[in-house]
Amino acid sequence: MLLEVKNMHIAYGDIRAVSGIDFSIEQGELVSIIGANGAGKTSILNSIMGIVPLKNGKIVFENEDITSLAAHQRARAGIRMVPERARVFPRLTVYENLMTGVYGLRKTINLDVQIAWLYDLFPILRERNDQPAETLSGGEQQQLAIARALISNPSLLLVDEVSMGLMPKLVDQVFDVLKQLNDQRGLTILIVEQNAIASLEISHRAYVLETGAIVHQGMASALLEDPKIKEVYLGTGA
Ligand code: ATP
């Protein structure tokens, strides 16, 4: 297993956000956690990244217990996150934003090769190289956030609600890129999403999260066909 999460509890004061969930991701998998507003999706990613502490439980990454590591140590270990609503640095240029993705990196990467690869993946970023990120559209900022996360060649990419605020066509494009990264480069990806259909369509497996608990799990293709799931989460039930 690349990532194993055991008995994860997350709370903010008295508010329980995640109540003892278990899940795991194998090397090379694309896994989704789907759930409604407030189900606890962002909390899960933030706690894997080390931004939000666990109240209880354990996170094992590449067979190492990382539960007590700081966020920058987890980033160095190869975990990167695309945060909700992109969160790029508005005043920095596209290029400078990308450079923040390599800050503090210990392993050597060939920057020219990485940038060329990312600009081929997201051609609009090449055109906008010298522009402040705040001048980009929402979809372009989302692409920049993905590129910034990818520049260091992570072994696990965490993607928070990437479809939020994007037009359906852009949602498809972004999900296509994630699928391509998984298929062609073997990148392991964990997506958390309200957009259940789009994320299930590209995932191998998925977990369904409801108020901080996992209520279903299985192959994404099976979940897409499950009548109960269809009715509640996909809005396509009979
Ligand atoms: P969304 O899709 O709306 O982002 P989510 O599934 O990502 O929702 P979380 O953001 O993880 O859900 O929130 C889970 C629960 O924890 C919610 O009830 C939320 O109000 C609460 N919560 C999240 N962050 C905090 C915080 N910093 N302080 C207090 N409560 C919080």
Side-chain angles (χ1 to χ4, degrees):
M1 285 299 165
L2 185 70
L3 180 80
E4 272 185 278
V5 169
K6 294 175 187 158
N7 193 31
M8 171 184 268
H9 286 262
I10 304 167
Y12 306 96
D14 293 338
I15 300 168
R16 278 204 230 157
V18 173
S19 322
I21 63 169
D22 297 276
F23 64 93
S24 58
I25 305 174
E26 269 182 69
Q27 174 79 44
E29 269 194 312
L30 201 170
V31 173
S32 284
I33 298 178
I34 58 173
N37 249 326
K41 305 182 297 299
T42 299
S43 300
I44 294 171
L45 290 197
N46 282 343
S47 70
I48 296 172
M49 197 67 245
I51 300 164
V52 162
L54 288 191
K55 192 149 189 254
N56 208 336
K58 192 167 159 185
I59 303 172
V60 178
F61 178 65
E62 289 179 330
N63 297 319
E64 192 197 336
D65 186 342
I66 61 163
T67 317
S68 56
L69 292 190
H72 69 275
Q73 295 171 307
R74 299 187 199 199
R76 267 190 204 143
I79 305 176
R80 289 289 161 123
M81 180 158 81
V82 181
E84 198 169 349
R85 296 185 185 280
R87 303 258 170 80
V88 292
F89 296 99
R91 300 292 169 84
L92 299 185
T93 65
V94 164
Y95 181 81
E96 289 164 346
N97 265 282
L98 288 178
M99 287 305 115
T100 66
V102 291
Y103 179 77
L105 196 67
R106 285 222 182 106
K107 65 181 170 191
T108 50
I109 56 166
N110 186 329
L111 258 189
D112 292 340
V113 170
Q114 286 303 92
I115 298 241
W117 164 55
L118 293 168
Y119 282 180
D120 287 344
L121 199 60
F122 302 112
I124 192 70
L125 298 182
R126 180 179 279 122
E127 287 176 38
R128 303 283 185 264
N129 184 66
D130 301 319
Q131 280 180 218
E134 65 190 354
T135 63
L136 303 184
S137 73
E140 291 163 0
Q141 292 190 16
Q142 202 56 270
Q143 295 177 36
L144 177 56
I146 297 172
R148 179 182 60 188
L150 291 175
I151 197 165
S152 64
N153 276 335
S155 17
L156 174 64
L157 184 70
L158 309 173
V159 183
D160 192 356
E161 211 85 63
V162 76
S163 74
M164 191 186 285
L166 298 187
M167 298 185 307
K169 198 179 132 204
L170 274 180
V171 172
D172 289 345
Q173 275 176 18
V174 170
F175 278 88
D176 281 350
V177 168
L178 294 175
K179 176 145 181 51
Q180 192 187 323
L181 288 165
N182 174 257
D183 277 349
Q184 294 173 12
R185 296 180 70 104
L187 177 63
T188 309
I189 304 178
L190 173 61
I191 294 175
V192 305
E193 262 295 339
Q194 280 186 55
N195 188 333
I197 296 184
S199 52
L200 287 178
E201 274 173 350
I202 62 160
S203 297
H204 299 120
R205 287 188 304 116
Y207 297 88
V208 180
L209 190 73
E210 235 174 60
T211 52
I214 289 171
V215 292
H216 297 284
Q217 56 181 292
M219 300 303 290
S221 53
L223 290 175
L224 271 169
E225 292 308 316
D226 186 314
K228 225 164 66 194
I229 301 281
K230 271 183 166 170
E231 193 184 329
V232 181
Y233 299 97
L234 307 179
T236 55

